[in-house]
Amino acid sequence: MAAGFCAISEMPHQVRHLNSNDHDALVEIYRQAVLGSTAGLYSEAQQWAWAEQSNTLRSLLSKGEGFVISNQRDEPMAFSLRYPADRLALLYSHPDAQRQSCGRRLIEAIEQAAKADTLPALRTEASLISRPLFERLGWQVSWREELRIGGVSFQRFRMHKQLGQGY
């Protein structure tokens, strides 16, 4: 386990706003999530191409509105980012924090922030691994697309969710 991450026995604690002090930990969470959680759905070449995108993550983390789930020591375990305002751009949990409702809690935080901004809907690009979670939370597939990352082919799903009447 990398330094700075919680033990498996430490349950996720709080959802808070992402801040610039979190950036190093979030880049590492991204890499660990891609390399440690996607083997059943993605080839090794896909995992490495995807993980290499962490090099561009820092500039994106400074934009938009993000949320972090931290442990009791306020060490980040999972994060989400909304950028631009109508798009859930990032959603990642460290492998030690997966299957503990972090993804659900972060999506709900993004949805609540969007509702507070009176947005009518949100959109995202979901991976094979995240699509089922989004669907359980009422998101719908708009279309499936193929793209290349680092010269490697991927499939993902453009998804959307209406936020309700009056928003």
Side-chain angles (χ1 to χ4, degrees), residues 4-43:
F5 292 108
C6 67
I8 292 173
S9 61
E10 283 191 45
M11 294 299 291
H13 187 252
Q14 63 180 6
V15 177
R16 62 170 173 77
H17 278 92
L18 181 157
N19 66 62
S20 60
N21 294 331
D22 296 320
H23 290 190
D24 289 341
L26 302 186
V27 169
E28 186 60 21
I29 288 169
Y30 176 97
R31 287 185 56 76
Q32 292 297 320
V34 170
L35 295 174
S37 306
T38 61
L41 296 170
Y42 294 95
S43 70

Side-chain angles (χ1 to χ4, degrees), residues 83-98:
Y83 179 78
D86 69 337
R87 178 176 169 248
L88 196 161
L90 298 170
L91 177 67
Y92 290 91
S93 295
H94 188 275
D96 291 344
Q98 292 176 0

Side-chain angles (χ1 to χ4, degrees), residues 15 65 67 80 104-114:
V15 177
E65 179 178 25
F67 295 93
S80 61
R104 177 188 54 79
R105 292 171 64 199
L106 289 166
I107 292 169
E108 290 171 350
I110 292 285
E111 290 175 2
Q112 289 304 312

Side-chain angles (χ1 to χ4, degrees), residues 38-113:
T38 61
L41 296 170
Y42 294 95
S43 70
E44 188 174 331
Q46 287 173 316
Q47 289 176 300
W48 284 104
W50 189 355
E52 286 301 310
Q53 298 303 300
S54 67
N55 297 331
T56 63
L57 202 59
R58 288 181 194 285
S59 64
L60 188 58
L61 291 171
S62 298
K63 301 173 183 176
E65 179 178 25
F67 295 93
V68 169
I69 291 183
S70 59
N71 63 18
Q72 293 177 346
R73 294 186 307 265
D74 199 33
E75 298 165 333
M77 299 168 58
F79 71 99
S80 61
L81 182 75
R82 180 170 64 119
Y83 179 78
D86 69 337
R87 178 176 169 248
L88 196 161
L90 298 170
L91 177 67
Y92 290 91
S93 295
H94 188 275
D96 291 344
Q98 292 176 0
R99 306 280 183 222
Q100 297 180 37
S101 298
C102 291
R104 177 188 54 79
R105 292 171 64 199
L106 289 166
I107 292 169
E108 290 171 350
I110 292 285
E111 290 175 2
Q112 289 304 312

